[in-house]
Amino acid sequence: MANCPECDAEIEVDEFDVDKGDQLSCPECGSSLEVTGVSPLELDIAPDEDDEDDDDLDDEDDLEGDEDEDEDEDDEEDEGVDE
């Protein structure tokens, strides 16, 4: 037995039937929950799949930004050689 972290409802889950990382829904409020511990059974609000996808895009944007900075540095070095 565990409690929903969103609405505090008691959720009947057999800790032997779930593994860490499994996802389930609260029957009371419908929140997506993730099993974060099995002994004792612990539940947390599951991360939104959309949020995870957004994080991946942000990381790609950061990498592209780093490449632009490297190109600027190369341009500055080339200008110094011409003088």
Side-chain angles (χ1 to χ4, degrees), residues 14-24 33-44:
D14 187 350
E15 65 185 44
F16 299 108
D17 290 339
V18 293
D19 293 316
K20 189 174 181 179
D22 285 353
Q23 294 194 356
L24 48 99
L33 305 174
E34 182 175 2
V35 177
T36 57
V38 290
S39 186
L41 184 62
E42 296 178 15
L43 302 174
D44 199 2

Side-chain angles (χ1 to χ4, degrees), residues 56-72:
D56 292 342
L57 293 175
D58 290 343
D59 292 343
E60 290 175 9
D61 291 342
D62 290 344
L63 292 175
E64 290 173 7
D66 291 343
E67 291 173 3
D68 292 340
E69 290 175 12
D70 291 341
E71 289 175 9
D72 291 342

Side-chain angles (χ1 to χ4, degrees), residues 13 19 24 28-29 31-32 42-43 67 74 76 78-79:
V13 180
D19 293 316
L24 48 99
E28 293 293 319
C29 68
S31 292
S32 295
E42 296 178 15
L43 302 174
E67 291 173 3
D74 290 341
E76 290 173 7
D78 291 342
E79 290 173 9

